[in-house]
Amino acid sequence: MPEMVRLVVDGLELQVPAGITVAAALLNRRLVARRSVGGEPRAPLCGMGSCFECRATVDGRPHTRTCMVRVRNGLDVRTDD
Amino acid sequence: MLPDVIVVGAGIVGAAVAEALAVAGCRVRVLESAWPGSGSTGAAMGHLLVLDDSEAQWRLTRLSRDLWDARADQWGAALEWESCGTVWVAADGEELELARRRGAWFAERGVASELLDQVALRAAEPNLAAGLAGGLRVPGDSVIYPPAAVRLLLEGAVRHGATIAAGTPVKRAGGGWVELTNGDRLPAGAVIIAAGLATPELLATPVEGLALIPKKGHLAITDRYPGWLRHQLVELSYLKSAHGSAPSSVAFNVQPRATGQILIGSSRQLDTLDPTVEPATLSRMLARAATYLPRLETLTILRTWVGFRPATPDNLPLIGPVPGQPRLWLATGHEGIGVATALGTAALIRASVLGEAPPLDPTPYAVDRVVGWMAHA
Ligand SMILES: Cc1cc2nc3c(=O)[nH]c(=O)nc-3n(C[C@H](O)[C@H](O)[C@H](O)COP(=O)(O)OP(=O)(O)OC[C@H]3O[C@@H](n4cnc5c(N)ncnc54)[C@H](O)[C@@H]3O)c2cc1C
Ligand code: FES
């Protein structure tokens, strides 16, 4: 069993493996990161910080690229959903 | 009988003039060298505001703001209309005194405003730096998206029978005629040149003294941060920068867009025609904005660009008939407020072309005043 940490996504607590990125945690749960201006659901694509499709509000900071942030205990993630 | 009209240029000014004359019943043709809104208009912020720099500027901005307001109900959403108002931000006590005087001046002329002290300013805009002295809120000012305004005005003109020819450069024009670059010569009862900075070079018979000064401006737009900014914020010393003769200046001027994006301005450069973004000027402009909005540095900028404002030596536009050249009018030189003043400009041109009573005294904008400009330049 990998070590688990507690992530808060849109107010819901998730147990996720330590060491992965927030984007990976969202993908594992099939969660949408953001919605386009037209309202389409968007999710991580490149995984390396260049497509900006994985943005969410992380610890109050809007438009954070979640593929560039490792999960941490108590990290607060807000998606557009 | 109503004249057939040719409008040269489909920026915000040409589009407004075309609509006004088409609605009045004229047969209108718009000739645009590239595409509608491709000039200054496409680069602009869409701040609709009243300005007290001079009595003439006040009257034109005031009339135009009323005319825009009359469109808000019908066009609001399509124009991305934001009734956000302006806050003129005062950095210190001296500027707050300027704000108070501007408010009193507005009040005498029947325009509402509200003086904000230090606490009220922070309540109105929580992201502003602590320690700013206050400001003047002008709730009746608004924001629109200029390219959308061009489209709606031209659609209105077309509904009243106008035709729009994009990709149709005019080579030169005179009283009652226009010559295209392909050699075609088109007659018209009235020719209105609204070609922005290109206007002087299109005149077959030059108007002595006529000169427009290109004032380059940089803008940057952020990602979407809904609620981050509530008003168009402008530093009180803005007009110093806008009308000064310094070769290069920056001023704090930020705008909330309907999308939640923040449009950040502004810079003015008099000594360049370089159409590219200059990192040094852009940095200075952003640093200036960050002294007012420190947390701006945490936002992501998506795009930067530049535009050129068509300025005149006396900071007033040229609106009216060309002396000695019957059936020829100019409508240009609006510097940084051509969007705000487009509808008033169109009303003045309409009255002049049709011989109707003007909506305000046209003298301060008359073309004959350029005679003195040679010496000035
Ligand atoms: C950075 C910046 C910010 C600004 N912010 C604001 C603001 O917040 N509020 C505001 O009110 N104003 C603002 N302005 C000013 C505003 O953009 C101008 O005053 C306004 O767009 C001028 O409109 P215009 O129709 O006269 O010129 P343009 O938009 O330049 O239109 C002229 C048109 O004529 C066409 N043309 C040129 N030559 C020919 C030819 N030979 N034949 C046929 N067509 C021709 C061009 O292609 C163009 O489409 C800003 C400007 C800049 C640069
Ligand atoms: S997934 Fe592409 S930037 Fe994060």
Side-chain angles (χ1 to χ4, degrees):
Chain A
M1 264 303 268
E3 189 195 330
M4 303 295 271
V5 302
R6 184 176 48 86
L7 195 63
V8 184
V9 180
D10 298 327
L12 281 178
E13 293 203 357
L14 300 180
Q15 292 293 327
V16 302
I20 68 171
T21 64
V22 174
L26 293 176
L27 275 180
N28 285 340
R29 301 279 176 147
R30 301 191 177 285
L31 293 175
V32 165
R34 57 182 288 265
R35 289 198 173 261
S36 70
V37 177
E40 293 154 14
R42 299 290 189 155
L45 178 68
C46 70
M48 58 183 198
S50 56
C51 74
F52 283 69
E53 291 295 5
C54 63
R55 283 171 292 155
T57 300
V58 176
D59 274 354
R61 195 168 169 142
H63 301 295
T64 303
R65 285 166 292 169
T66 56
C67 70
M68 305 308 284
V69 180
R70 238 178 258 289
V71 294
R72 258 186 284 118
N73 255 329
L75 200 69
D76 184 66
V77 180
R78 310 249 156 202
T79 73
D80 281 348
D81 263 19
Chain B
M1 231 198 45
L2 294 172
D4 285 357
V5 172
I6 289 179
V7 178
V8 181
I12 191 76
V13 173
V17 166
E19 190 224 27
L21 288 170
V23 168
C26 298
R27 209 177 70 87
V28 175
R29 266 189 297 187
V30 181
L31 309 175
E32 161 59 47
S33 57
W35 66 90
S38 58
S40 306
T41 304
M45 288 179 144
H47 190 196
L48 306 181
L49 75 168
V50 289
L51 273 180
D52 60 352
D53 189 40
S54 64
E55 196 65 52
Q57 193 191 52
W58 166 261
R59 287 200 216 108
L60 187 60
T61 53
R62 173 75 200 276
L63 168 70
S64 299
R65 199 183 79 173
D66 287 347
L67 293 172
W68 278 118
D69 281 347
R71 313 272 179 139
D73 283 347
Q74 193 195 345
W75 282 359
L79 282 177
E80 299 183 19
W81 188 289
E82 288 283 291
S83 302
C84 55
T86 305
V87 173
W88 295 93
V89 180
D92 53 27
E94 197 182 323
E95 288 189 0
L96 192 57
E97 175 54 22
L98 282 178
R100 197 194 54 73
R101 268 190 270 150
R102 177 172 290 180
W105 205 88
F106 283 4
E108 276 170 30
R109 289 160 177 80
V111 164
S113 68
E114 180 193 353
L115 196 66
L116 307 175
D117 63 13
Q118 191 159 9
V119 175
L121 178 69
R122 286 269 280 180
E125 285 294 345
N127 282 310
L128 275 175
L132 294 164
L136 185 75
R137 177 173 16 214
V138 188
D141 290 350
S142 307
V143 165
I144 60 167
Y145 182 52
V150 171
R151 185 172 52 79
L152 287 162
L153 288 165
L154 290 179
E155 282 172 6
V158 167
R159 268 199 305 281
H160 288 86
T163 56
I164 320 290
T168 308
V170 167
K171 187 172 171 209
R172 52 202 188 121
W177 62 271
V178 155
E179 187 186 319
L180 303 182
T181 49
N182 69 8
D184 286 359
R185 197 178 154 105
L186 312 174
V191 172
I192 295 109
I193 309 187
L197 282 164
T199 300
E201 70 209 40
L202 297 186
L203 293 169
T205 308
V207 175
E208 200 184 323
L210 178 63
L212 291 176
I213 308 151
K215 287 199 185 176
K216 180 174 178 176
H218 285 73
L219 289 174
I221 194 158
T222 71
D223 209 330
R224 291 173 285 150
Y225 300 91
W228 202 91
L229 186 70
R230 300 169 185 171
H231 303 83
Q232 175 120 12
L233 302 182
V234 191
E235 66 174 276
L236 253 161
S237 41
Y238 174 77
L239 285 177
K240 263 190 256 160
S241 151
H243 294 165
S245 54
S248 167
S249 65
V250 296
F252 171 60
N253 185 348
V254 294
Q255 174 177 97
R257 307 287 325 165
T259 52
Q261 291 175 284
I262 297 161
L263 189 48
I264 307 167
S266 61
S267 67
R268 276 181 167 76
Q269 288 163 274
L270 297 180
D271 52 357
T272 174
L273 288 171
D274 173 7
T276 60
V277 171
E278 294 160 56
T281 307
L282 185 66
S283 314
R284 270 213 300 147
M285 180 183 98
L286 293 173
R288 180 87 192 153
T291 63
Y292 286 85
L293 292 166
R295 298 207 314 125
L296 206 56
E297 289 173 349
T298 67
L299 310 189
T300 306
I301 288 174
L302 295 186
R303 201 162 73 84
T304 58
W305 68 93
V306 301
F308 291 89
R309 308 169 182 89
T312 61
D314 66 1
N315 305 314
L316 285 174
L318 291 159
I319 309 168
V322 178
Q325 302 194 47
R327 288 172 296 169
L328 185 62
W329 281 259
L330 303 187
T332 187
H334 296 75
E335 213 271 332
I337 52 169
V339 181
T341 55
L343 298 185
T345 299
L348 281 167
I349 291 286
R350 174 192 156 137
S352 178
V353 169
L354 302 184
E356 299 168 344
L360 47 75
D361 175 13
T363 334
Y365 324 103
V367 175
D368 56 15
R369 75 184 199 278
V370 308
V371 171
W373 285 358
M374 279 307 212
H376 195 119

